[in-house]
Amino acid sequence: MLESSAQKLSAARVRALGVSMDSISKQRAFADRYNLTFPLLCDVDGSMCDAFEVPHPNNRPARFSYLFHNQKLIWVDHSVTPTKHIDHALEAVAKHRAGKLN
């Protein structure tokens, strides 16, 4: 599901990145297990979570999604659900491209 979502984003000319507080070795194993082709970033100290105000109790970050365009945050989803997430992100991309989302 993760890889197919990343492929849908790629087809829409959107680059996907994953962020986790897991170690590099755990992320590598996860990526290998699910054949992921998009980059996974390590945030083992939680500094990225803190910068984006993502809660991370017990080193388990909440699932948030962000869209940036030209280094500007244009959309954030604080209620990510695996089944609807990609649809919401692609809707935001379409709205942005239509000038309805800054």
Side-chain angles (χ1 to χ4, degrees), residues 35-97:
N35 299 312
L36 302 181
T37 58
F38 59 91
L40 297 177
L41 308 176
C42 291
D43 183 28
V44 292
D45 67 356
S47 58
M48 285 175 48
C49 287
D50 293 340
F52 285 94
E53 299 179 355
V54 174
H56 52 95
N58 301 317
N59 292 336
R60 304 305 310 164
R63 292 182 181 191
F64 284 21
S65 288
Y66 300 89
L67 290 175
F68 294 88
H69 184 254
N70 293 333
Q71 299 178 351
K72 178 183 171 192
L73 178 64
I74 61 167
W75 178 81
V76 62
D77 183 356
H78 292 126
S79 58
V80 173
T81 57
T83 57
K84 298 286 183 188
H85 172 65
I86 190 64
D87 295 332
H88 293 166
L90 290 171
E91 282 176 28
V93 169
K95 285 181 182 178
H96 175 69
R97 289 184 177 150

Side-chain angles (χ1 to χ4, degrees), residues 4-56:
S4 65
S5 294
Q7 289 174 1
K8 288 179 184 178
L9 289 171
S10 181
R13 298 185 338 254
V14 174
R15 185 169 183 209
L17 302 172
V19 180
S20 167
M21 292 182 72
D22 290 334
S23 67
I24 291 172
S25 60
K26 283 186 178 181
Q27 284 200 13
R28 186 172 293 125
F30 182 81
D32 290 346
R33 180 178 178 189
Y34 293 101
N35 299 312
L36 302 181
T37 58
F38 59 91
L40 297 177
L41 308 176
C42 291
D43 183 28
V44 292
D45 67 356
S47 58
M48 285 175 48
C49 287
D50 293 340
F52 285 94
E53 299 179 355
V54 174
H56 52 95

